[in-house]
Amino acid sequence: MGIRQKALFNIKSIELVKENEPKRVSSYFGENTFNMETMQKYISKDTMEAFKAWLSEGRIISLEQANEIADAMKEWAISKGATYYTHWFQPMTGLTAEKTR
C-alpha cells in the first residue's frame, strides 16, 4: 500500500465526535492573542512603559525594545505549543529608532 493510500485509510478510520451544542464563538474568540495583559508578563517594565507611550503618544521605541517585544512574542507562541513561528515586522511608520539610510 502506498503512502497516499495509507493516509486516506487513516483518515477514513478516524471517528468523529459530534458536538450536540456548538461552542459560542465569544467563549474562545481572542484567547490566543498576544495582547497588553499577556505582553506585560513577558517584557520588562521599562519596555512596557515605552510601548504604552508609543501606542498613546507616538513616541519612538528603541531597537532593543522592539527586539524585546518580538522575542516575547516568540516565547509566548512557543509556550502555547507553536512548533513554527514567524515574526514579520515591517517598520513602515518610521516609529522605531533605527533608520535604514
Side-chain angles (χ1 to χ4, degrees):
M1 183 181 302
I3 293 174
R4 181 182 163 98
Q5 288 89 359
K6 285 181 185 177
L8 291 172
F9 179 76
N10 287 337
I11 290 170
K12 189 176 177 182
S13 66
I14 293 173
E15 186 176 326
L16 299 176
V17 177
K18 184 172 179 164
E19 295 269 342
N20 292 333
E21 177 109 10
K23 284 185 179 179
R24 295 179 57 88
V25 172
S26 60
S27 73
Y28 62 86
F29 183 80
E31 69 182 20
N32 288 317
T33 302
F34 189 77
N35 56 25
M36 296 289 276
E37 183 180 333
T38 302
M39 185 185 302
Q40 207 160 11
K41 296 174 186 175
Y42 284 86
I43 64 174
S44 68
K45 184 178 179 182
D46 288 343
T47 298
M48 189 68 194
E49 288 175 10
F51 180 78
K52 287 179 181 178
W54 167 79
L55 197 59
S56 63
E57 303 167 25
R59 286 194 196 169
I60 294 174
I61 63 173
S62 70
L63 178 59
E64 291 78 19
Q65 290 167 327
N67 285 336
E68 182 180 345
I69 294 167
D71 289 341
M73 286 181 188
K74 178 182 174 186
E75 184 182 331
W76 170 80
I78 291 169
S79 78
K80 300 292 276 180
T83 55
Y84 296 86
Y85 177 84
T86 299
H87 174 69
W88 183 358
F89 181 67
Q90 292 181 295
M92 302 294 284
T93 62
L95 295 178
T96 53
E98 183 179 53
K99 301 293 181 200
T100 57
R101 295 180 201 197

